[in-house]
Amino acid sequence: MARTEDRVGEIFDRAVELPPSDRRAYLAEACGEDRALRREVERLLAAHDRADGILDREPPMLLAREDPDLAARVASALADRYVPEDELGRGGMATVFLAHEQKHARKVVLKVMHPWAAELLGAERFLQEVHIAAQLAHPHILALIDSGEADGLLYYVMPYVGGEPLRRRLRREGAMESGEAVVLLRDIADALAHAHAAGIVHRDLKPENVLCVGGHAYLLDFGIAKLLPMAGPVADRLTFAGLPIGTPGYMAPEQASAGAVGDRADVWAWGVLAAEMLSGVGPPPEPGPAFGDAAARLLDGRAPSTVVDLVGRCLAADPAARPASVEILRALEDVVTPLPAEAAAHDRPRASAPARRWPWIAGAAAALLALGSVIALSRSRTPAGGLPAPIAVAALVNETGDSSLATWGRLAGDWLTQGLQEAGLV
């Protein structure tokens, strides 16, 4: 056995140095009639060529630049469903397009993974994480309305609600007025609390992944561009152990050191984000354990003491000392205040907990009532379960007088459509 292993190693070492075109002739000569030996060497060569290890691959950003015709490829692959109109952003893992959905004649956000990223992560990871993202139905998380694969491209689709990334806003305006910032930070904490309750950790909270719309915030990029720590055997197969995943400057200490990461890593990132929004000063590339004290000093006088203390707690070096996201949410409930009159034209924040909740409750009730009516109609007219005619679901009209709630009508329409499809009625 030892001799065979020695021969396999010797032949492999020589073959791997040869150009792929010359290996076949070399293996035929070196292995002779020993087919088992040749199969073993070929197996090792194939494993080597796959370069499954992260460190064996070229730097991601270099690979991301190798596909300048991605837009044309997307347009060709999805021509019957989506027509890309403009590139909204490009990151290391994916490119985001504003697109026209053919079926419903509406604008949507189309995110397409770069081919190298799809190859690295694999379809299994993509499908699993899309499934997780689809479970997050929350007012401050953009809904996943479609996903799939076309011409080797993995993609997913979200509703287009306008607005702009928080990063762009910070670059243009710098530090935000505390009342305005707290409203956005509360929305983000609300989204994180919902995700954490579902067992999902974002792991890449940063200004680029927050969308500002009508004075409120939406959290983006759940489960597609970044690797999420998931419980169970799927996580073991799909997570690269020992590799820090995230963005320098926003990663918690335990995350940057590739240690065990839980939901308190998102809490740290929330604290970093809060400090940046309120001060206009971005984090250092590698915030140290004392970053919390530095941030608290930086925010002194820029925000209510309750918020400053909360940010300091979120930036504790020990994850166990940080508050849970739901605690952040509760702490901010009493801090959220209306913006000054001069800011009203820019946004309209939510004034109180009851005022924030009643449109959502009313919208949910309306959607359920509509769905119940459709089911009743189906049962009364079509015993077989199908509807007698095509059904069109329009966006619910916003009659509250608060323009910041306009996007909820479109989301409610999407959810109603999804409910009809899942019920098997259409």
Side-chain angles (χ1 to χ4, degrees):
M1 178 65 68
R3 291 182 179 179
T4 301
E5 293 176 352
D6 290 342
R7 288 192 65 195
V8 169
E10 179 182 351
I11 296 173
F12 170 78
D13 289 341
R14 292 182 180 180
V16 79
E17 299 297 331
L18 296 174
S21 58
D22 296 339
R23 290 177 184 173
R24 182 181 296 272
Y26 169 73
L27 292 179
E29 178 182 352
C31 299
E33 299 298 324
D34 192 337
R35 296 183 178 179
L37 174 62
R38 178 164 180 170
R39 282 197 301 269
E40 182 65 16
V41 175
E42 288 177 338
R43 184 184 64 82
L44 292 175
L45 288 171
H48 176 272
D49 291 341
R50 281 200 302 271
D52 286 331
I54 299 292
L55 298 180
D56 293 330
R57 293 177 176 267
E58 297 181 53
M61 292 306 296
L62 295 180
L63 287 166
R65 297 190 186 109
E66 290 182 358
D67 195 359
D69 299 324
L70 181 62
R73 183 176 172 186
V74 171
S76 175
L78 299 174
D80 60 330
R81 284 166 283 176
Y82 304 102
V83 180
E85 295 182 347
D86 191 21
E87 183 176 310
L88 298 179
R90 179 182 292 259
M93 303 289 282
T95 295
V96 180
F97 298 95
L98 175 64
H100 176 80
E101 184 184 31
Q102 303 277 45
K103 182 177 182 179
H104 299 297
R106 61 177 177 177
K107 293 184 182 297
V108 295
V109 175
L110 175 66
K111 186 162 188 175
V112 182
M113 294 188 73
H114 295 144
W116 77 266
E119 178 185 354
L120 175 64
L121 300 179
E124 184 180 7
R125 161 161 287 284
F126 176 83
L127 295 175
Q128 176 67 23
E129 295 194 354
V130 166
H131 173 75
I132 292 174
Q135 311 310 306
L136 296 173
H138 188 271
H140 296 294
I141 298 176
L142 282 190
L144 180 74
I145 59 177
D146 190 18
S147 65
E149 178 180 1
D151 190 26
L153 297 174
L154 297 171
Y155 68 92
Y156 75 100
V157 184
M158 299 177 293
Y160 175 70
V161 294
E164 66 175 343
L166 177 59
R167 171 64 71 198
R168 184 185 304 169
R169 185 166 175 181
L170 290 175
R171 285 173 177 168
R172 184 182 67 250
E173 301 179 5
M176 300 176 65
E177 188 271 331
S178 63
E180 181 182 14
V182 168
V183 171
L184 299 179
L185 288 167
R186 186 214 172 275
D187 291 347
I188 297 168
D190 198 357
L192 288 177
H194 177 76
H196 294 167
I200 300 173
V201 182
H202 191 284
R203 289 179 53 161
D204 197 34
L205 176 59
K206 58 184 178 180
E208 288 83 353
N209 287 337
V210 174
L211 185 66
C212 300
V213 184
H216 295 288
Y218 290 86
L219 190 54
L220 310 177
D221 269 356
F222 269 99
I224 305 299
K226 303 300 175 185
L227 307 180
L228 304 179
M230 296 175 292
V234 175
D236 296 335
R237 296 197 306 271
L238 299 181
T239 301
F240 297 108
L243 180 69
I245 300 298
T247 300
Y250 299 89
M251 287 193 289
E254 68 274 14
Q255 185 177 355
S257 62
V261 175
D263 58 5
R264 295 309 195 273
D266 283 346
V267 170
W268 169 282
W270 183 93
V272 176
L273 188 67
E276 183 173 5
M277 292 169 64
L278 290 165
S279 70
V281 180
E286 298 181 6
F291 181 62
D293 295 335
R297 290 193 298 271
L298 185 64
L299 297 182
D300 188 25
R302 294 178 179 267
S305 59
T306 303
V307 176
V308 176
D309 293 341
L310 182 63
V311 171
R313 292 173 56 207
C314 290
L315 295 176
D318 181 5
R322 301 171 201 155
S325 53
V326 68
E327 295 178 57
I328 300 175
L329 182 60
R330 291 168 182 163
L332 293 181
E333 285 286 356
D334 298 329
V335 183
V336 173
T337 56
L339 294 183
E342 60 269 19
H346 187 65
D347 353 274
R348 181 180 297 180
R350 298 170 293 182
S352 63
R356 285 194 299 274
R357 292 173 183 153
W358 79 261
W360 178 246
I361 295 173
L368 289 174
L369 180 60
L371 183 56
S373 299
V374 171
I375 293 175
L377 175 66
S378 171
R379 290 176 176 174
S380 64
R381 295 189 180 181
T382 56
L387 292 177
I391 297 296
V393 179
L396 274 67
V397 178
N398 174 28
E399 297 183 351
T400 66
D402 186 345
S403 61
S404 68
L405 304 177
T407 58
W408 289 10
R410 291 194 291 273
L411 292 176
D414 289 334
W415 291 334
L416 183 55
T417 301
Q418 180 180 353
L420 288 169
Q421 292 172 338
E422 292 179 354
L425 300 176
V426 292

